[in-house]
Amino acid sequence: MKARLQEPRPLLVPGIYDALSALIAEQAGFEALYLSGASIAYTRLGRSDVGLTTATEVADTLAHITERVRTPVIVDADTGFGNALNVQRTVRAFERAGAAMIQLEDQTFPKRCGHLDGKGVVPVAEMQGKLRAALDARRSDATLILARTDALAVEGLDAALDRAEAYLACGVDALFIEALRTPADMDAACDRFAQRVPLLANMVEGGKTPVQSAAELGARGFRIVIFPGGTARAVAHTLQGYYASLAAHGSTGPWRERMLDFDGLNRVIGTPALLAAGRRYER
């Protein structure tokens, strides 16, 4: 991940929420994957992104994913699930579970989705302490630490940029200034940081930030472009149509051309290879 981020072309990263979504994204050829707390809340809990998920739930989900795919995973650690000591536990757990990059944000608890209103942020010094704790806790400097600030919605753009500067001074590997509102805001962030550290752009359909392509964002100076919640939104939309059709027709017939059959899904998940591997251990 560290070497890849030195390249000028932006890293396009889709959202995932379990091992199956990660496997399909890997098969599509993506170079990295993004596991958000929101996606786990949506899919495991059927709830909103308002701080309900736990560190254990995220670590367990991450472990299932990294056991199945080799593609590097950026994982959302929210606020670190507590103070600086909690941050250290979180970083150690996520690193053991296979995280390539761990994201920490400066929201108060309970946190909420960066594109929801009503957020709060902790003092700068408190967040700096949490970031230093995270850097001290990791076993390898190949495990990258991504610092996110949500201050724009609370304190304004200048304060958000100043917070990002303070977090960069701690030695983090990448920065994420959440919910930039306009192209001018995006350019201001890139003008200040893009030549010094990888910057992440977060694309949320219907969110605060104008949705642009990875190529457009790369031209502005962003090095990482995530589409974290689009996967869950696409799946939810598809399931609405599928379930409505099944309820109306009492059969999956009308959807047969829009779904995998039994053998098709088994090919995706590698059932033939798995069964062949099992036969190696038979007497």
PDB file of all heavy atoms in Angstrom, residues 139-168:
ATOM      1  N   ARG A 139       2.558  -2.773  14.942  1.00  0.00           N
ATOM      2  CA  ARG A 139       3.761  -3.615  14.966  1.00  0.00           C
ATOM      3  C   ARG A 139       4.643  -3.368  13.757  1.00  0.00           C
ATOM      4  O   ARG A 139       5.846  -3.605  13.809  1.00  0.00           O
ATOM      5  CB  ARG A 139       3.365  -5.092  15.022  1.00  0.00           C
ATOM      6  CG  ARG A 139       2.643  -5.486  16.297  1.00  0.00           C
ATOM      7  CD  ARG A 139       2.224  -6.941  16.269  1.00  0.00           C
ATOM      8  NE  ARG A 139       3.384  -7.819  16.234  1.00  0.00           N
ATOM      9  CZ  ARG A 139       3.999  -8.289  17.323  1.00  0.00           C
ATOM     10  NH1 ARG A 139       3.567  -7.934  18.530  1.00  0.00           N
ATOM     11  NH2 ARG A 139       5.035  -9.080  17.211  1.00  0.00           N
ATOM     12  N   SER A 140       4.060  -2.909  12.661  1.00  0.00           N
ATOM     13  CA  SER A 140       4.815  -2.704  11.428  1.00  0.00           C
ATOM     14  C   SER A 140       4.445  -1.363  10.827  1.00  0.00           C
ATOM     15  O   SER A 140       3.261  -0.997  10.800  1.00  0.00           O
ATOM     16  CB  SER A 140       4.490  -3.815  10.428  1.00  0.00           C
ATOM     17  OG  SER A 140       5.006  -3.504   9.133  1.00  0.00           O
ATOM     18  N   ASP A 141       5.460  -0.641  10.319  1.00  0.00           N
ATOM     19  CA  ASP A 141       5.137   0.627   9.669  1.00  0.00           C
ATOM     20  C   ASP A 141       4.550   0.416   8.278  1.00  0.00           C
ATOM     21  O   ASP A 141       4.185   1.379   7.599  1.00  0.00           O
ATOM     22  CB  ASP A 141       6.343   1.563   9.630  1.00  0.00           C
ATOM     23  CG  ASP A 141       7.501   0.999   8.827  1.00  0.00           C
ATOM     24  OD1 ASP A 141       7.352  -0.065   8.175  1.00  0.00           O
ATOM     25  OD2 ASP A 141       8.581   1.632   8.826  1.00  0.00           O
ATOM     26  N   ALA A 142       4.426  -0.858   7.861  1.00  0.00           N
ATOM     27  CA  ALA A 142       3.679  -1.159   6.640  1.00  0.00           C
ATOM     28  C   ALA A 142       2.174  -1.069   6.876  1.00  0.00           C
ATOM     29  O   ALA A 142       1.392  -0.993   5.921  1.00  0.00           O
ATOM     30  CB  ALA A 142       4.044  -2.548   6.133  1.00  0.00           C
ATOM     31  N   THR A 143       1.756  -1.098   8.152  1.00  0.00           N
ATOM     32  CA  THR A 143       0.357  -0.850   8.505  1.00  0.00           C
ATOM     33  C   THR A 143       0.184   0.657   8.621  1.00  0.00           C
ATOM     34  O   THR A 143       0.715   1.287   9.529  1.00  0.00           O
ATOM     35  CB  THR A 143      -0.001  -1.524   9.843  1.00  0.00           C
ATOM     36  OG1 THR A 143       0.299  -2.913   9.771  1.00  0.00           O
ATOM     37  CG2 THR A 143      -1.472  -1.329  10.166  1.00  0.00           C
ATOM     38  N   LEU A 144      -0.546   1.231   7.684  1.00  0.00           N
ATOM     39  CA  LEU A 144      -0.609   2.684   7.581  1.00  0.00           C
ATOM     40  C   LEU A 144      -1.728   3.250   8.445  1.00  0.00           C
ATOM     41  O   LEU A 144      -2.761   2.618   8.641  1.00  0.00           O
ATOM     42  CB  LEU A 144      -0.817   3.092   6.121  1.00  0.00           C
ATOM     43  CG  LEU A 144       0.191   2.513   5.120  1.00  0.00           C
ATOM     44  CD1 LEU A 144      -0.073   3.068   3.718  1.00  0.00           C
ATOM     45  CD2 LEU A 144       1.621   2.798   5.546  1.00  0.00           C
ATOM     46  N   ILE A 145      -1.513   4.461   8.938  1.00  0.00           N
ATOM     47  CA  ILE A 145      -2.509   5.167   9.752  1.00  0.00           C
ATOM     48  C   ILE A 145      -3.021   6.368   8.961  1.00  0.00           C
ATOM     49  O   ILE A 145      -2.245   7.225   8.523  1.00  0.00           O
ATOM     50  CB  ILE A 145      -1.918   5.628  11.101  1.00  0.00           C
ATOM     51  CG1 ILE A 145      -1.381   4.425  11.891  1.00  0.00           C
ATOM     52  CG2 ILE A 145      -2.976   6.390  11.900  1.00  0.00           C
ATOM     53  CD1 ILE A 145      -2.417   3.390  12.273  1.00  0.00           C
ATOM     54  N   LEU A 146      -4.331   6.410   8.793  1.00  0.00           N
ATOM     55  CA  LEU A 146      -5.024   7.467   8.057  1.00  0.00           C
ATOM     56  C   LEU A 146      -5.791   8.331   9.055  1.00  0.00           C
ATOM     57  O   LEU A 146      -6.649   7.828   9.786  1.00  0.00           O
ATOM     58  CB  LEU A 146      -5.983   6.833   7.052  1.00  0.00           C
ATOM     59  CG  LEU A 146      -7.047   7.717   6.389  1.00  0.00           C
ATOM     60  CD1 LEU A 146      -6.401   8.794   5.538  1.00  0.00           C
ATOM     61  CD2 LEU A 146      -7.987   6.865   5.552  1.00  0.00           C
ATOM     62  N   ALA A 147      -5.475   9.616   9.102  1.00  0.00           N
ATOM     63  CA  ALA A 147      -6.144  10.548  10.016  1.00  0.00           C
ATOM     64  C   ALA A 147      -7.259  11.277   9.290  1.00  0.00           C
ATOM     65  O   ALA A 147      -7.036  11.884   8.238  1.00  0.00           O
ATOM     66  CB  ALA A 147      -5.151  11.549  10.580  1.00  0.00           C
ATOM     67  N   ARG A 148      -8.459  11.226   9.871  1.00  0.00           N
ATOM     68  CA  ARG A 148      -9.619  11.901   9.289  1.00  0.00           C
ATOM     69  C   ARG A 148     -10.086  13.010  10.223  1.00  0.00           C
ATOM     70  O   ARG A 148     -10.150  12.833  11.443  1.00  0.00           O
ATOM     71  CB  ARG A 148     -10.743  10.883   9.091  1.00  0.00           C
ATOM     72  CG  ARG A 148     -12.120  11.488   8.880  1.00  0.00           C
ATOM     73  CD  ARG A 148     -13.143  10.415   8.606  1.00  0.00           C
ATOM     74  NE  ARG A 148     -14.492  10.808   9.008  1.00  0.00           N
ATOM     75  CZ  ARG A 148     -15.585  10.099   8.793  1.00  0.00           C
ATOM     76  NH1 ARG A 148     -15.510   8.939   8.162  1.00  0.00           N
ATOM     77  NH2 ARG A 148     -16.768  10.524   9.197  1.00  0.00           N
ATOM     78  N   THR A 149     -10.431  14.145   9.650  1.00  0.00           N
ATOM     79  CA  THR A 149     -11.071  15.197  10.425  1.00  0.00           C
ATOM     80  C   THR A 149     -12.467  15.483   9.886  1.00  0.00           C
ATOM     81  O   THR A 149     -12.676  15.559   8.676  1.00  0.00           O
ATOM     82  CB  THR A 149     -10.249  16.501  10.441  1.00  0.00           C
ATOM     83  OG1 THR A 149     -10.964  17.484  11.215  1.00  0.00           O
ATOM     84  CG2 THR A 149      -9.986  17.054   9.054  1.00  0.00           C
ATOM     85  N   ASP A 150     -13.409  15.628  10.805  1.00  0.00           N
ATOM     86  CA  ASP A 150     -14.788  15.981  10.483  1.00  0.00           C
ATOM     87  C   ASP A 150     -15.090  17.428  10.859  1.00  0.00           C
ATOM     88  O   ASP A 150     -16.250  17.813  10.967  1.00  0.00           O
ATOM     89  CB  ASP A 150     -15.742  15.044  11.221  1.00  0.00           C
ATOM     90  CG  ASP A 150     -15.807  13.667  10.603  1.00  0.00           C
ATOM     91  OD1 ASP A 150     -14.832  12.900  10.726  1.00  0.00           O
ATOM     92  OD2 ASP A 150     -16.818  13.343   9.976  1.00  0.00           O
ATOM     93  N   ALA A 151     -14.033  18.225  11.035  1.00  0.00           N
ATOM     94  CA  ALA A 151     -14.210  19.562  11.582  1.00  0.00           C
ATOM     95  C   ALA A 151     -14.855  20.548  10.624  1.00  0.00           C
ATOM     96  O   ALA A 151     -15.374  21.585  11.067  1.00  0.00           O
ATOM     97  CB  ALA A 151     -12.857  20.113  12.044  1.00  0.00           C
ATOM     98  N   LEU A 152     -14.841  20.273   9.338  1.00  0.00           N
ATOM     99  CA  LEU A 152     -15.380  21.252   8.392  1.00  0.00           C
ATOM    100  C   LEU A 152     -16.823  21.614   8.724  1.00  0.00           C
ATOM    101  O   LEU A 152     -17.201  22.790   8.719  1.00  0.00           O
ATOM    102  CB  LEU A 152     -15.263  20.725   6.956  1.00  0.00           C
ATOM    103  CG  LEU A 152     -15.571  21.716   5.835  1.00  0.00           C
ATOM    104  CD1 LEU A 152     -14.785  21.374   4.575  1.00  0.00           C
ATOM    105  CD2 LEU A 152     -17.060  21.752   5.492  1.00  0.00           C
ATOM    106  N   ALA A 153     -17.633  20.613   9.043  1.00  0.00           N
ATOM    107  CA  ALA A 153     -19.051  20.854   9.326  1.00  0.00           C
ATOM    108  C   ALA A 153     -19.266  21.558  10.657  1.00  0.00           C
ATOM    109  O   ALA A 153     -20.330  22.140  10.888  1.00  0.00           O
ATOM    110  CB  ALA A 153     -19.815  19.528   9.322  1.00  0.00           C
ATOM    111  N   VAL A 154     -18.252  21.511  11.535  1.00  0.00           N
ATOM    112  CA  VAL A 154     -18.397  22.051  12.890  1.00  0.00           C
ATOM    113  C   VAL A 154     -17.684  23.392  13.040  1.00  0.00           C
ATOM    114  O   VAL A 154     -18.230  24.345  13.617  1.00  0.00           O
ATOM    115  CB  VAL A 154     -17.837  21.042  13.923  1.00  0.00           C
ATOM    116  CG1 VAL A 154     -18.024  21.562  15.345  1.00  0.00           C
ATOM    117  CG2 VAL A 154     -18.482  19.681  13.754  1.00  0.00           C
ATOM    118  N   GLU A 155     -16.474  23.476  12.487  1.00  0.00           N
ATOM    119  CA  GLU A 155     -15.613  24.644  12.705  1.00  0.00           C
ATOM    120  C   GLU A 155     -15.261  25.393  11.426  1.00  0.00           C
ATOM    121  O   GLU A 155     -14.657  26.471  11.495  1.00  0.00           O
ATOM    122  CB  GLU A 155     -14.319  24.200  13.395  1.00  0.00           C
ATOM    123  CG  GLU A 155     -14.539  23.516  14.739  1.00  0.00           C
ATOM    124  CD  GLU A 155     -13.266  22.931  15.330  1.00  0.00           C
ATOM    125  OE1 GLU A 155     -12.297  22.713  14.567  1.00  0.00           O
ATOM    126  OE2 GLU A 155     -13.233  22.697  16.555  1.00  0.00           O
ATOM    127  N   GLY A 156     -15.606  24.859  10.276  1.00  0.00           N
ATOM    128  CA  GLY A 156     -15.294  25.518   9.012  1.00  0.00           C
ATOM    129  C   GLY A 156     -14.065  24.954   8.321  1.00  0.00           C
ATOM    130  O   GLY A 156     -13.300  24.179   8.904  1.00  0.00           O
ATOM    131  N   LEU A 157     -13.868  25.353   7.071  1.00  0.00           N
ATOM    132  CA  LEU A 157     -12.803  24.796   6.247  1.00  0.00           C
ATOM    133  C   LEU A 157     -11.417  25.120   6.789  1.00  0.00           C
ATOM    134  O   LEU A 157     -10.554  24.234   6.867  1.00  0.00           O
ATOM    135  CB  LEU A 157     -12.930  25.311   4.810  1.00  0.00           C
ATOM    136  CG  LEU A 157     -11.838  24.843   3.850  1.00  0.00           C
ATOM    137  CD1 LEU A 157     -11.846  23.323   3.699  1.00  0.00           C
ATOM    138  CD2 LEU A 157     -11.995  25.517   2.487  1.00  0.00           C
ATOM    139  N   ASP A 158     -11.174  26.363   7.160  1.00  0.00           N
ATOM    140  CA  ASP A 158      -9.832  26.730   7.622  1.00  0.00           C
ATOM    141  C   ASP A 158      -9.440  25.920   8.856  1.00  0.00           C
ATOM    142  O   ASP A 158      -8.299  25.438   8.952  1.00  0.00           O
ATOM    143  CB  ASP A 158      -9.769  28.222   7.928  1.00  0.00           C
ATOM    144  CG  ASP A 158      -9.820  29.081   6.670  1.00  0.00           C
ATOM    145  OD1 ASP A 158      -9.569  28.542   5.568  1.00  0.00           O
ATOM    146  OD2 ASP A 158     -10.127  30.290   6.789  1.00  0.00           O
ATOM    147  N   ALA A 159     -10.377  25.755   9.770  1.00  0.00           N
ATOM    148  CA  ALA A 159     -10.082  24.978  10.975  1.00  0.00           C
ATOM    149  C   ALA A 159      -9.833  23.513  10.624  1.00  0.00           C
ATOM    150  O   ALA A 159      -8.958  22.866  11.210  1.00  0.00           O
ATOM    151  CB  ALA A 159     -11.228  25.097  11.976  1.00  0.00           C
ATOM    152  N   ALA A 160     -10.588  22.996   9.671  1.00  0.00           N
ATOM    153  CA  ALA A 160     -10.392  21.605   9.258  1.00  0.00           C
ATOM    154  C   ALA A 160      -9.008  21.408   8.661  1.00  0.00           C
ATOM    155  O   ALA A 160      -8.327  20.409   8.947  1.00  0.00           O
ATOM    156  CB  ALA A 160     -11.474  21.190   8.273  1.00  0.00           C
ATOM    157  N   LEU A 161      -8.571  22.357   7.838  1.00  0.00           N
ATOM    158  CA  LEU A 161      -7.242  22.264   7.249  1.00  0.00           C
ATOM    159  C   LEU A 161      -6.161  22.390   8.312  1.00  0.00           C
ATOM    160  O   LEU A 161      -5.134  21.692   8.266  1.00  0.00           O
ATOM    161  CB  LEU A 161      -7.065  23.333   6.175  1.00  0.00           C
ATOM    162  CG  LEU A 161      -8.004  23.242   4.967  1.00  0.00           C
ATOM    163  CD1 LEU A 161      -7.730  24.379   3.990  1.00  0.00           C
ATOM    164  CD2 LEU A 161      -7.892  21.898   4.271  1.00  0.00           C
ATOM    165  N   ASP A 162      -6.381  23.255   9.288  1.00  0.00           N
ATOM    166  CA  ASP A 162      -5.408  23.390  10.376  1.00  0.00           C
ATOM    167  C   ASP A 162      -5.340  22.115  11.210  1.00  0.00           C
ATOM    168  O   ASP A 162      -4.256  21.698  11.650  1.00  0.00           O
ATOM    169  CB  ASP A 162      -5.765  24.577  11.261  1.00  0.00           C
ATOM    170  CG  ASP A 162      -5.515  25.922  10.585  1.00  0.00           C
ATOM    171  OD1 ASP A 162      -4.789  25.949   9.563  1.00  0.00           O
ATOM    172  OD2 ASP A 162      -6.055  26.942  11.064  1.00  0.00           O
ATOM    173  N   ARG A 163      -6.484  21.484  11.442  1.00  0.00           N
ATOM    174  CA  ARG A 163      -6.484  20.209  12.162  1.00  0.00           C
ATOM    175  C   ARG A 163      -5.712  19.156  11.359  1.00  0.00           C
ATOM    176  O   ARG A 163      -4.910  18.403  11.928  1.00  0.00           O
ATOM    177  CB  ARG A 163      -7.916  19.732  12.391  1.00  0.00           C
ATOM    178  CG  ARG A 163      -8.604  20.358  13.591  1.00  0.00           C
ATOM    179  CD  ARG A 163     -10.030  19.860  13.709  1.00  0.00           C
ATOM    180  NE  ARG A 163     -10.668  20.328  14.929  1.00  0.00           N
ATOM    181  CZ  ARG A 163     -10.773  19.613  16.050  1.00  0.00           C
ATOM    182  NH1 ARG A 163     -10.305  18.377  16.094  1.00  0.00           N
ATOM    183  NH2 ARG A 163     -11.357  20.109  17.122  1.00  0.00           N
ATOM    184  N   ALA A 164      -5.953  19.092  10.069  1.00  0.00           N
ATOM    185  CA  ALA A 164      -5.227  18.136   9.245  1.00  0.00           C
ATOM    186  C   ALA A 164      -3.720  18.378   9.335  1.00  0.00           C
ATOM    187  O   ALA A 164      -2.926  17.427   9.394  1.00  0.00           O
ATOM    188  CB  ALA A 164      -5.709  18.223   7.803  1.00  0.00           C
ATOM    189  N   GLU A 165      -3.319  19.635   9.367  1.00  0.00           N
ATOM    190  CA  GLU A 165      -1.897  19.972   9.516  1.00  0.00           C
ATOM    191  C   GLU A 165      -1.349  19.445  10.839  1.00  0.00           C
ATOM    192  O   GLU A 165      -0.254  18.866  10.900  1.00  0.00           O
ATOM    193  CB  GLU A 165      -1.723  21.485   9.446  1.00  0.00           C
ATOM    194  CG  GLU A 165      -0.286  21.942   9.344  1.00  0.00           C
ATOM    195  CD  GLU A 165       0.311  21.709   7.965  1.00  0.00           C
ATOM    196  OE1 GLU A 165      -0.196  22.288   6.994  1.00  0.00           O
ATOM    197  OE2 GLU A 165       1.285  20.935   7.882  1.00  0.00           O
ATOM    198  N   ALA A 166      -2.115  19.621  11.908  1.00  0.00           N
ATOM    199  CA  ALA A 166      -1.693  19.145  13.223  1.00  0.00           C
ATOM    200  C   ALA A 166      -1.602  17.626  13.258  1.00  0.00           C
ATOM    201  O   ALA A 166      -0.702  17.053  13.904  1.00  0.00           O
ATOM    202  CB  ALA A 166      -2.658  19.649  14.292  1.00  0.00           C
ATOM    203  N   TYR A 167      -2.500  16.966  12.582  1.00  0.00           N
ATOM    204  CA  TYR A 167      -2.487  15.506  12.566  1.00  0.00           C
ATOM    205  C   TYR A 167      -1.326  14.985  11.725  1.00  0.00           C
ATOM    206  O   TYR A 167      -0.689  13.982  12.076  1.00  0.00           O
ATOM    207  CB  TYR A 167      -3.814  14.966  12.034  1.00  0.00           C
ATOM    208  CG  TYR A 167      -5.030  15.416  12.818  1.00  0.00           C
ATOM    209  CD1 TYR A 167      -6.308  15.332  12.271  1.00  0.00           C
ATOM    210  CD2 TYR A 167      -4.910  15.971  14.095  1.00  0.00           C
ATOM    211  CE1 TYR A 167      -7.422  15.746  12.976  1.00  0.00           C
ATOM    212  CE2 TYR A 167      -6.016  16.400  14.802  1.00  0.00           C
ATOM    213  CZ  TYR A 167      -7.276  16.297  14.235  1.00  0.00           C
ATOM    214  OH  TYR A 167      -8.377  16.718  14.936  1.00  0.00           O
ATOM    215  N   LEU A 168      -1.038  15.670  10.631  1.00  0.00           N
ATOM    216  CA  LEU A 168       0.106  15.285   9.809  1.00  0.00           C
ATOM    217  C   LEU A 168       1.401  15.400  10.598  1.00  0.00           C
ATOM    218  O   LEU A 168       2.308  14.570  10.440  1.00  0.00           O
ATOM    219  CB  LEU A 168       0.161  16.168   8.556  1.00  0.00           C
ATOM    220  CG  LEU A 168       1.292  15.905   7.572  1.00  0.00           C
ATOM    221  CD1 LEU A 168       1.243  14.468   7.059  1.00  0.00           C
ATOM    222  CD2 LEU A 168       1.237  16.906   6.425  1.00  0.00           C
TER     223      LEU A 168
END
